[in-house]
Amino acid sequence: MTAPRNITLAVTGASGSIYAREMLRALANDDRVERIHFIASDSALRVFAEEIELCGRNNLAEKLLGSPSTKLRQHVESDIGASIASGSYPVSAMIVLPCSMGTLAAIANGLASNLIQRSADVCLKERRPLVLCVRETPFNRIHLRNMLLANEAGATIFPAIPTLYNHPGNTTEMAQQFVHRVLAHIGLPQPGAYQWGRADE
Ligand SMILES: Cc1cc2nc3c(=O)[nH]c(=O)nc-3n(C[C@H](O)[C@H](O)[C@H](O)COP(=O)(O)O)c2cc1C
């Protein structure tokens, strides 16, 4: 598999702002990644404010990252005319992290009514990797049905559930391990990622 170079990262209004922050950091630090298309929903902004005291939309991606990056392209959720809204634009993979049940429902049912939903819809129609890091608990029947629908259409349902067997020392390490798993899934294995059984090799 050739390394994906052009990644869309969408953040929606589910709990898990630190996952988005660690994903952005990992993508920005990865030399194989040339472009990061970043979109946050309005609800994501509310959750950022609640969870990590990050407020406002202006330069949100840079603020999240903690520094500027020439790779970053931040889009507005309403801009359905952005490059990534078209299948002619070569996105390698899209990650929705965290993915709310609302956005899952929209993607699973082909609504495509904002840039996050449309970009996901484009990935599905173009058979490009789409990873939905869903976050809710417990799931109701509608959530479960929508996960199955999205999976049948080609998306990977990758729940934002952390691992504990790697003994994370804090929530950042927990989020990093999760991010490493998602990136390995789309063909971007990360140096230093925890791997069960490595001692056996
Ligand atoms: C602090 C906070 C945490 C939330 N956590 C979740 C969650 O974990 N999962 C979820 O599906 N919705 C969660 N919500 C509700 C969503 O933000 C809400 O359904 C929203 O309409 C989703 O919109 P979006 O998909 O456009 O981002 C949360 C809302 C707030 C304010």
Side-chain angles (χ1 to χ4, degrees):
M1 189 193 289
T2 51
R5 302 183 173 283
N6 209 350
I7 308 288
T8 300
L9 173 61
V11 186
T12 68
S15 181
S17 306
I18 63 167
Y19 289 119
R21 183 188 66 205
E22 295 309 316
M23 179 59 81
L24 199 53
R25 285 179 179 166
L27 291 172
N29 288 332
D30 193 320
D31 290 340
R32 294 165 294 183
V33 176
E34 286 168 7
R35 187 74 71 231
I36 308 164
H37 292 277
F38 179 89
I39 328 161
S41 72
D42 287 345
S43 311
L45 298 186
R46 174 67 197 273
V47 179
F48 279 134
E50 293 288 339
E51 293 188 340
I52 56 173
E53 292 167 13
L54 190 61
C55 296
R57 188 179 282 288
N58 280 350
N59 298 323
L60 175 65
E62 280 186 12
K63 285 191 214 155
L64 200 56
L65 192 56
S67 62
S69 166
T70 52
K71 297 181 185 183
L72 264 177
R73 297 290 178 276
Q74 185 172 321
H75 302 282
V76 183
E77 192 187 17
S78 59
D79 184 10
I80 44 83
S83 55
I84 53 175
S86 170
S88 63
Y89 184 79
V91 161
S92 319
M94 175 172 177
I95 300 163
V96 186
L97 173 62
C99 181
S100 73
M101 293 302 101
T103 291
L104 166 71
I107 293 170
N109 291 280
L111 294 194
S113 58
N114 66 32
L115 184 60
I116 295 176
Q117 298 165 17
R118 169 65 185 166
S119 303
D121 198 55
V122 167
C123 283
L124 293 177
K125 83 183 176 73
E126 300 294 337
R127 303 270 185 250
R128 295 172 185 161
L130 171 65
V131 184
L132 304 180
C133 302
V134 296
R135 214 304 320 174
E136 186 49 280
T137 193
F139 291 124
N140 67 30
R141 204 179 173 102
I142 298 168
H143 302 152
L144 294 167
R145 201 182 290 133
N146 284 335
M147 281 190 254
L148 187 58
L149 273 178
N151 176 264
E152 285 170 350
T156 299
I157 302 298
F158 209 123
I161 300 175
T163 54
L164 297 176
Y165 52 76
N166 54 317
H167 304 289
N170 51 47
T171 52
T172 298
E173 281 180 23
M174 222 165 69
Q176 283 168 343
Q177 169 62 5
F178 178 78
V179 161
H180 290 163
R181 291 292 307 278
V182 174
L183 290 175
H185 184 78
I186 62 162
L188 286 172
Q190 297 294 295
Y194 176 85
Q195 189 187 310
W196 178 260
R198 189 171 272 168
D200 301 345
E201 288 174 357

